[in-house]
């Protein structure tokens, strides 16, 4: 979130909670990206705040409720207030249960895989309208093709990203495997380690596609414990995901701290991965 909006977003979250009878005298910023994630005190509520124009909060709430009802390992909404989207001062605010982190430890790849498998099983039972994973790839392709949006991207790197996105999108599509509702970005940043086990958060990125697309966001060791993985498809998905997130880092509007440094590192990783897997990127 833009620095100029952070303070207003914090005030919007605290005011919303207070108006609902939740004591919110302080706020701790837990995460700042396209939305702000706060711990409100002393009520101990997790608030997520986003500009009205850039959010899918209602979808996220409804999906989280349905997944929780199915027994999926997902974070719960705050039970003391009505589970809905609250709007204040140009922001939307959603209120969630705050989970005290357990003693820091390495998350077991087997536990991670088991939780993700349970999430996928619940998602297979839901029929909700979501974008296809290729929509995200197409958005990245538009950024690569636009020098106005990615002015600092060198010609050779622009060609690499464009060819990688195009060829792997086609190759994965031609495999014609099973597809289902996915989390979209089940990376470690979207997994909470709690006393209730591993819980997934942030469902605004849900999409439809092969399970391997979700696994491509998780640590490599996780896929070793997930049953029935198509390893060739997973390798292609990993490189495709890396190409997408690398493209985002070169968007002139990207606000991720150290984003340009990451974009440079990931370009090198893409070249190494293509070479290691014997893949080329024909136009």
């Amino acid at each position: 979130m833009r620095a100029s909006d952070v303070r207003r977003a914090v005030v919007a979250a605290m005011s919303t909670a207070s108006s609902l009878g939740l004591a919110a005298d302080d706020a701790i910023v837990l995460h700042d990206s396209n939305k702000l994630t706060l711990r409100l005190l002393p009520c101990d509520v997790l608030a997520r705040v986003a500009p009205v124009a850039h959010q899918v909060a209602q979808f996220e709430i409804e999906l989280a409720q349905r997944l929780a009802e199915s027994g999926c390992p997902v974070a719960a909404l705050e039970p003391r207030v009505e589970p809905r989207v609250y709007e204040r001062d140009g922001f939307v605010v959603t209120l969630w249960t705050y989970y005290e982190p357990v003693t820091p430890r390495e998350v077991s790849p087997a536990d991670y895989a088991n939780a993700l498998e349970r999430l996928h099983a619940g998602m297979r039972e839901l029929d909700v309208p979501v974008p296809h994973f290729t929509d995200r790839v197409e958005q990245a392709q538009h950024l690569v093709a636009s020098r106005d949006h990615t002015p600092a991207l060198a010609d050779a790197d622009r060609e690499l990203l464009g060819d990688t996105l195009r060829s792997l999108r086609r190759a994965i599509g031609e495999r014609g495997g099973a597809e289902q509702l996915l989390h979209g970005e089940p990376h470690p940043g979207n997994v909470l380690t709690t006393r209730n086990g591993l819980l997934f958060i942030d469902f605004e990125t849900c999409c439809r596609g092969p399970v391997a697309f979700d696994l491509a966001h998780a640590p490599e060791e996780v896929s070793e414990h997930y049953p029935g993985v198509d390893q060739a498809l997973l390798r292609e998905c990993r490189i495709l995901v890396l190409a997408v997130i690398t493209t985002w880092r070169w968007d002139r509007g990207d606000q991720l701290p150290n984003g340009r440094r990451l974009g440079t590192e990931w370009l090198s990783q893409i070249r190494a991965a293509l070479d290691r897997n014997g893949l080329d990127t024909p136009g």
Side-chain angles (χ1 to χ4, degrees):
M1 186 176 291
R2 292 182 302 181
S4 60
D5 290 336
V6 169
R7 181 58 194 165
R8 290 177 48 241
V10 170
V11 171
M14 294 175 65
S15 299
T16 297
S18 296
S19 70
L20 296 168
L22 299 171
D25 302 324
D26 193 16
I28 300 171
V29 177
L30 301 179
H31 188 64
D32 181 6
S33 58
N34 60 321
K35 66 166 62 72
L36 201 64
T37 303
L38 308 167
R39 181 185 182 184
L40 303 181
L41 295 169
C43 62
D44 225 9
V45 170
L46 189 83
R48 305 187 74 194
V49 194
V52 169
H54 304 289
Q55 53 80 33
V56 289
Q58 187 61 43
F59 167 81
E60 186 174 22
I61 279 183
E62 292 173 359
L63 182 60
Q65 287 179 297
R66 293 179 67 179
L67 290 171
E69 290 168 0
S70 299
C72 291
V74 299
L77 290 151
E78 168 53 48
R80 289 172 286 180
V81 299
E82 184 182 351
R84 68 176 183 86
V85 178
Y86 299 89
E87 187 170 333
R88 185 179 292 261
D89 192 27
F91 295 97
V92 292
V93 180
T94 53
L95 301 174
W96 303 76
T97 297
Y98 175 77
Y99 296 90
E100 190 70 40
V102 299
T103 303
R105 63 178 177 82
E106 285 293 322
V107 174
S108 159
D111 289 345
Y112 201 135
N114 178 262
L116 188 56
E117 185 183 6
R118 287 170 54 209
L119 178 66
H120 286 154
M123 285 184 152
R124 276 195 293 275
E125 303 303 314
L126 300 183
D127 182 16
V128 295
V130 294
H132 196 260
F133 83 97
T134 53
D135 292 2
R136 196 178 306 177
V137 181
E138 185 176 357
Q139 291 167 2
Q141 289 177 290
H142 286 315
L143 284 176
V144 170
S146 171
R147 294 183 184 275
D148 288 340
H149 286 92
T150 52
L153 193 59
D155 288 346
D157 296 333
R158 190 180 303 278
E159 182 178 5
L160 172 71
L161 286 173
D163 288 349
T164 301
L165 291 165
R166 181 169 50 253
S167 63
L168 289 180
R169 175 184 175 182
R170 182 174 62 241
I172 293 169
E174 289 174 350
R175 287 183 177 275
E179 296 188 346
Q180 69 159 80
L181 179 65
L182 303 174
H183 180 287
E185 290 185 5
H187 54 67
N190 283 332
V191 183
L192 302 180
T193 305
T194 77
R195 292 185 179 88
N196 299 324
L198 299 182
L199 300 176
F200 289 92
I201 60 172
D202 201 349
F203 297 97
E204 67 173 329
T205 56
C206 281
C207 60
R208 188 166 187 82
V211 164
F213 184 78
D214 259 4
L215 281 169
H217 291 80
E220 290 191 19
E221 298 82 2
V222 173
S223 65
E224 298 172 7
H225 299 272
Y226 195 104
V229 178
D230 182 332
Q231 293 297 332
L233 174 59
L234 179 57
R235 285 192 294 271
E236 292 174 344
C237 284
R238 285 197 188 282
I239 301 173
L240 180 64
V241 166
L242 184 57
V244 169
I245 63 175
T246 300
T247 300
W248 293 343
R249 302 292 75 85
W250 290 94
D251 184 351
R252 68 181 182 187
D254 184 50
Q255 298 179 35
L256 187 73
N258 301 315
R260 193 55 50 84
R261 176 181 60 79
L262 288 172
T264 301
E265 291 177 4
W266 291 344
L267 282 166
S268 297
Q269 291 181 25
I270 291 171
R271 289 188 169 90
L274 290 170
D275 183 64
R276 184 169 58 250
N277 290 284
L279 298 172
D280 56 18
T281 56

